[in-house]
Amino acid sequence: MTDWLRRRLNSLPPPVRRRVRRLWLSLVPIAQCSLAAGVAWWVAVHVFGHPQPFFAPIAAVISLGLSLGKRWRRTVELVAGVAIGILVGDLLISVIGSGTWQIVIVVALAMSIAVFLDDGPLIPMQAASSAALVATLLPPGGVGGFHRAIDALIGGLIGILVGALFPVNPAHRARRDAAGVLATLRDAARRLSAGLRAMDEDEVLAALTSARGTQEAINTMRADMRGGQEVSTISPLYWGSRERLERISATADPIDNAVRNFRVIARRALGMTQRGEPLDPELVDIIAEIGEVFEVLREMMIAKPGEEPDQADAARALRTVARKAKPELVSHSTLSETAVLAELRSLLIDMLMIAGLRRSSAAATLR
């Protein structure tokens, strides 16, 4: 997105801005689905001679979708579900005939077999729809059901091929998602430190609420990281990105744990503020510095290879804060302050792991 477009987007009202941003981020998957649908139809008609291969473009779109992850699995589930539904429907309808109660039996049996074989959500739905189609429209023993299974396979394979030849940048979404969560933690830490200095209960509560609202973003981040790894495996254009995707994906657990630890800190801080119990100013300063290091981690996440800050820069900034979070700070403090320091040290370990350190190395930094 160019700077001009970014400025125009930021000038829009927030609800419109969110919708435009969502559309912008989905343009490549939409283009992939559209291209795959057309190509799948053409192949099914002109190569295989199927007169109305309506399921080929449908299968192509379903196998791709707007999500990057589990495309191989969606394709396998799609073809397997269609095959189960056609097989069950063809065998039963040829014996018991067509009608209301026959549809009930055929759909129930097809879904039961699909659920028994796999726990994916797509197989039972496709098995049911295919069985219902055989029971109502396709004559048993005819080639219509077989053609539909072939169309599903064509669409699924075309979808995977389009995704491999015209892929989404596998690292882009993952980096963007991770940076978004880190930006939320940055803002929440800044707000928490300001609220603790002013003993402002509303500010501390707002920081906690902000951290609590990150779960959907974390789930999206994990899904896009998995999807990015899948793209880097399938697409030859991004085989060289596998190692980078591994490093980005390795931050998922530490980021998730950092959010959880921050929530604990914010909850304890809220309780102290509500009781009128001030937190040691040095601990508040550490929270404020942690907020600034979250910004370094965010910049690290969106930086391109070779740009700064990198993992070493982030680790140096974190070590500076870690040296201040020493146990002596709470040698004569309350239980609440001791607990806050313990959680801060745990949070710093998570942040050091985001910066690329192993847990043992991160823990050794906070002896």
Side-chain angles (χ1 to χ4, degrees):
M1 185 182 294
T2 65
D3 292 338
W4 180 84
L5 282 175
R6 189 174 288 106
R7 288 195 300 270
R8 297 292 297 174
L9 178 61
N10 291 334
S11 67
L12 296 172
V16 179
R17 185 164 65 244
R18 287 194 297 270
R19 287 168 171 78
V20 173
R21 189 181 299 277
R22 185 169 64 238
L23 175 60
W24 174 266
L25 295 174
S26 300
L27 285 180
V28 173
I30 289 172
Q32 288 178 330
C33 290
S34 303
L35 178 62
V39 172
W41 174 272
W42 187 90
V43 170
V45 170
H46 296 284
V47 177
F48 288 86
H50 296 176
Q52 289 184 316
F54 63 91
F55 201 66
I58 293 175
V61 172
I62 293 174
S63 67
L64 283 170
L66 295 180
S67 172
L68 299 185
K70 299 184 179 180
R71 287 180 166 180
W72 272 115
R73 180 174 176 82
R74 284 201 297 269
T75 299
V76 172
E77 288 183 354
L78 189 71
V79 176
V82 170
I84 291 171
I86 289 173
L87 179 63
V88 171
D90 200 62
L91 289 176
L92 282 184
I93 295 302
S94 61
V95 175
I96 64 178
S98 299
T100 302
W101 66 269
Q102 289 92 336
I103 293 175
V104 173
I105 292 176
V106 167
V107 170
L109 183 59
M111 292 187 74
S112 298
I113 293 174
V115 170
F116 177 79
L117 293 177
D118 190 85
D119 61 352
L122 190 57
I123 289 185
M125 295 301 101
Q126 289 303 323
S129 61
S130 299
L133 186 66
V134 171
T136 55
L137 296 178
L138 301 179
V143 297
F146 176 72
H147 282 179
R148 187 170 190 260
I150 296 298
D151 291 341
L153 181 60
I154 292 171
L157 293 178
I158 292 295
I160 295 298
L161 183 62
V162 167
L165 296 179
F166 305 96
V168 177
N169 186 327
H172 178 69
R173 279 194 178 187
R175 291 190 299 117
R176 182 204 69 214
D177 295 339
V181 176
L182 292 168
T184 300
L185 287 173
R186 172 203 64 199
D187 296 340
R190 289 172 175 173
R191 198 162 196 174
L192 179 60
S193 61
L196 286 169
R197 286 194 179 103
M199 292 298 288
D200 187 335
E201 181 181 332
D202 291 337
E203 277 291 288
V204 176
L205 178 59
L208 175 58
T209 302
S210 177
R212 282 174 171 168
T214 57
Q215 194 56 54
E216 182 178 351
I218 290 172
N219 294 341
T220 300
M221 176 191 73
R222 287 185 177 277
D224 284 343
M225 286 178 176
R226 289 192 297 268
Q229 288 180 300
E230 185 176 304
V231 170
S232 68
T233 300
I234 295 173
S235 176
L237 299 177
Y238 286 105
W239 283 347
S241 300
R242 292 177 187 174
E243 184 177 345
R244 189 178 182 211
L245 260 297
E246 289 292 337
R247 289 198 304 270
I248 294 172
S249 299
T251 66
D253 285 341
I255 289 175
D256 195 351
N257 292 335
V259 172
R260 296 174 190 274
N261 274 319
F262 184 86
R263 289 173 187 162
V264 174
I265 295 168
R267 279 198 304 270
R268 190 169 293 277
L270 178 62
M272 294 179 67
T273 306
Q274 289 171 336
R275 294 192 300 270
E277 181 183 347
L279 186 64
D280 188 304
E282 290 187 83
L283 292 177
V284 178
D285 289 341
I286 290 174
I287 294 173
E289 291 185 40
I290 282 175
E292 300 313 310
V293 181
F294 271 128
E295 171 59 15
V296 177
L297 288 171
R298 186 196 69 81
E299 293 175 350
M300 176 203 77
M301 194 62 67
I302 61 175
K304 296 178 181 179
E307 292 183 348
E308 295 181 348
D310 56 14
Q311 288 184 324
D313 296 325
R316 278 195 295 272
L318 282 163
R319 289 190 181 99
T320 299
V321 180
R323 283 194 291 269
K324 299 177 182 180
K326 50 187 181 295
E328 291 79 7
L329 280 177
V330 293
S331 57
H332 302 291
S333 298
T334 65
L335 178 61
S336 294
E337 288 181 328
T338 302
V340 168
L341 178 62
E343 290 297 336
L344 285 172
R345 289 166 64 87
S346 181
L347 174 59
L348 285 166
I349 289 175
D350 296 328
M351 296 173 72
L352 284 163
M353 292 179 68
I354 297 172
L357 273 70
R358 296 180 181 273
R359 174 168 287 278
S360 57
S361 300
T365 305
L366 285 148
R367 290 188 185 279

